[in-house]
Amino acid sequence: ITVLGYPIGSVSFPAFSKSVQSQNFQKLAGDIEQFLNIKFVLILPIGLFAVVYVKELIPFYIGSNMSTKFIDILPIYMLGAIFAALIPSFNGLILSSNSPSNSLKVLLVMSIIYLPMLPFLINTYGIVGASSGFLLMQFGLFSSYIAKSFSIFENINVLEMVIRRLLIPGVIIFLI
C-alpha cells in the first residue's frame, strides 16, 4: 500500500511547484484535485479492503500456522500504511510553497511526540502497541500535513477535498 503513494507524490511535487511559482492557484487547486483523485482511487479501495478482510485472507494464503498476534496487528498496520501512502502528495504540496522548513517542522514535532510514546506503547501493549504507534505516527503526520497545507494555501480548500475522498469510499467499503 505504501509503495503506491510515493510515485504519485513524486510526480505531484513538480506540478504543484510549477503552479505555485506561476501564482496560478486555480491550476494548483485542479492539480491537487487530480492527484488526490488518483491517489484515493488507487489506495483507499485496496487498503480498506485489506483492513476489513485481512483476518480472512491471510490464513487462506499462508495457512493456519500463522501467529494470531501477527494477524491481530495487521489491520492496525494496514490502516497506518494507508495514511503513510497518502502523505507524500501533501509533503510535496508543502515543499512547493517555497518554505520547505514547514515540512521539517511537521516531522520534527511528530518525532518528538512519537519517540517517547513508542517505548510506552510497546511496554504496555507489546506488538499491538508497536503497530498502534505506527498508526498514530502516520495519522499524526497525515493530519499535520493536511492542516499545514490548509494554512499555507488558505484559498484552496484542501481539507474539504480530502474529507470528500476519504469518507465516501470509506463508507462504501465498510458497507460492503
Side-chain angles (χ1 to χ4, degrees):
I1 297 296
T2 325
V3 174
L4 293 173
Y6 286 96
I8 299 166
S10 298
V11 172
S12 65
F13 172 65
F16 295 158
S17 294
K18 183 178 178 184
S19 296
V20 169
Q21 185 180 21
S22 66
Q23 299 289 312
N24 189 346
F25 294 107
Q26 187 173 3
K27 178 161 178 6
L28 178 63
D31 289 343
I32 293 168
E33 192 127 16
Q34 177 185 6
F35 284 108
L36 286 180
N37 285 339
I38 293 168
K39 194 165 259 206
F40 281 98
V41 163
L42 285 175
I43 294 167
L44 276 186
I46 296 168
L48 290 176
F49 181 83
V51 167
V52 173
Y53 296 109
V54 73
K55 289 185 179 185
E56 290 82 14
L57 293 174
I58 291 294
F60 177 74
Y61 283 107
I62 297 178
S64 61
N65 60 354
M66 177 60 69
S67 167
T68 57
K69 290 246 186 229
F70 176 73
I71 292 173
D72 289 343
I73 67 156
L74 215 47
I76 300 168
Y77 180 79
M78 290 298 294
L79 201 52
I82 290 170
F83 288 117
L86 298 174
I87 290 171
S89 291
F90 294 103
N91 186 32
L93 183 59
I94 291 171
L95 290 173
S96 71
S97 72
N98 296 325
S99 182
S101 65
N102 285 324
S103 184
L104 180 62
K105 290 173 188 172
V106 167
L107 287 170
L108 184 62
V109 168
M110 288 309 301
S111 295
I112 290 171
I113 294 168
Y114 177 69
L115 289 175
M117 179 182 67
L118 187 60
F120 167 76
L121 288 171
I122 292 172
N123 287 335
T124 307
Y125 301 104
I127 193 166
V128 173
S131 62
S132 298
F134 174 75
L135 169 61
L136 293 172
M137 174 68 167
Q138 298 309 319
F139 179 74
L141 282 171
F142 174 72
S143 56
S144 297
Y145 277 127
I146 289 174
K148 198 65 178 167
S149 298
F150 187 69
S151 71
I152 292 171
F153 301 102
E154 294 172 356
N155 55 344
I156 300 172
N157 201 346
V158 177
L159 187 61
E160 180 187 328
M161 291 180 190
V162 171
I163 289 173
R164 278 192 320 212
R165 282 162 187 81
L166 266 177
L167 289 181
I168 294 170
V171 168
I172 290 171
I173 292 290
F174 283 112
L175 289 176
I176 294 175

